[in-house]
Amino acid sequence: MTAIDPRFRPNGRNWPLIWAYLIECGGSTKTSSATSMAVTAALRGYPGVVFDLDSNMSSSLILGYDETALKGRKTALDLLYGRATLDEVALPARYRIGTGYDDEDFATIPNLRIVPSSPAMAGADTAIAEDADRNDWFLELLRAYEGDDTVFYLDFPASYGKMPYSVLRMLDEEDSVIPSIKADPKDVKLVKRLAEELERVREKNRGRRSVPGRPTLNRILLTGTPTATYKESAARRAAELAQATYGAVLLPYVRYSADAKKLYEDECPLPILLPNSAPAVDYRKVMTHLGFIDRAR
Ligand SMILES: Nc1ncnc2c1ncn2[C@@H]1O[C@H](COP(=O)(O)OP(=O)(O)O)[C@@H](O)[C@H]1O
Ligand SMILES: [Mg+2]
């Protein structure tokens, strides 16, 4: 028995692992965590791909591609429509060091690629509803994939529509659904709905032979937790609630930093922009906890 159906990974391996950053809650830190964890792993020598599946294009921006930079390029939507392959869509992750759009205005992040999103990804659920074959886009992508990435990091919009479903049904038990949530009791309470949604996906696919159908809520990431100077009582209560309810799957905390907001202004991921900030230090701890020790040096 293996916990990853070998038909959907190259050479019967259990990797790339699929990590789905999902929770039906806007501004919950999905993008911050997906990009920070991916960049931390990449800098430590583990290659990966971030899939920006949200029409707000946040992770595309943080990893070096705004709408101007993406003009004429293929995006996640082309994957969904089966019009392009992963290698045709994925771009080298980078961050802004200048103000223009020439090569010298960006520095490349080694070991990391980004599948950029587009505003049209807002119609992804409808595109699948119109043509049921499109529900297989991620299945086809996994079947065709032959690379050496360690993790696919999937950054989702805040919804449980048909597009997230088309990906979730391809997850197996060793893959992870990772709700990244702010330390706020109301965000912690939303995790229950996610667990119910995953149970619905499993139920729907039980006994099906063509897909693994076992998305598992085996990690929870709490961000914006209290520090010596940030002592919100709501954040403290959220941490207590998360510990009591989900202690067994709770990752090390990612502490609060007002500077985390700068990611979007500076178009640069947190581990590179502010490597010594509390959350950047904590994302390194999270990745170490998950077994991604530094093998770059
Ligand atoms: N550790 C942190 N402390 C404080 N604010 C944070 C932290 N991490 C992220 N943020 C901020 O939270 C906001 C929402 O984050 P984002 O990752 O865009 O959420 P989502 O992708 O779930 O919509 C952003 O303004 C971001 O800068
Ligand atoms: Mg986001």
Side-chain angles (χ1 to χ4, degrees), residues 27 29-32 54 56 58-59 155-157 264:
T29 69
K30 294 179 289 294
T31 300
S32 302
D54 191 340
N56 74 6
S58 303
S59 44
D155 185 18
F156 284 98
Y264 292 111

